[in-house]
Amino acid sequence: MKTISLKINESIFGETEHIRAHINIPRNRYINEAIKFYNTIQKRKILEKKLKAESSLVKHDTMHILKEFENIDYAD
């Protein structure tokens, strides 16, 4: 485990302590779970940004290929 020191806004700390008291888990566990959840959200945002960038790179080629398929005569 890594030990860190952090400064937290007083109102956030108070809210955190209030919630922790109701769910009865240690502060360290609560903060670890919060960071893990936030990391998951951030990884999804990074992936979304990457997929959008890659999608825009192939957009022109994809449209060209779709037009070619539209022009194929599917005669029996």
Side-chain angles (χ1 to χ4, degrees):
M1 284 244 165
K2 197 69 150 168
T3 301
I4 65 168
S5 171
L6 80 132
K7 293 182 180 182
I8 188 168
N9 184 293
E10 189 68 39
S11 63
I12 294 171
F13 181 77
E15 182 180 33
T16 301
E17 291 299 295
H18 178 74
I19 293 169
R20 271 187 350 90
H22 286 286
I23 60 176
N24 196 29
I25 65 171
R27 182 182 301 127
N28 188 56
R29 180 172 163 208
Y30 185 87
I31 292 171
N32 272 290
E33 288 178 8
I35 292 171
K36 183 178 179 181
F37 179 75
Y38 189 74
N39 284 345
T40 300
I41 291 171
Q42 293 306 314
K43 284 192 258 181
R44 287 180 184 171
K45 286 182 179 182
I46 291 167
L47 180 60
E48 178 184 16
K49 186 176 179 181
K50 183 178 178 182
L51 289 173
K52 282 182 181 179
E54 291 175 358
S55 178
S56 68
L57 292 174
V58 297
K59 181 180 178 181
H60 177 69
D61 291 336
T62 302
M63 295 306 292
H64 178 71
I65 291 168
L66 286 173
K67 291 231 182 261
E68 286 183 13
F69 277 121
E70 287 175 356
N71 294 329
I72 293 175
D73 184 16
Y74 291 103
D76 290 328

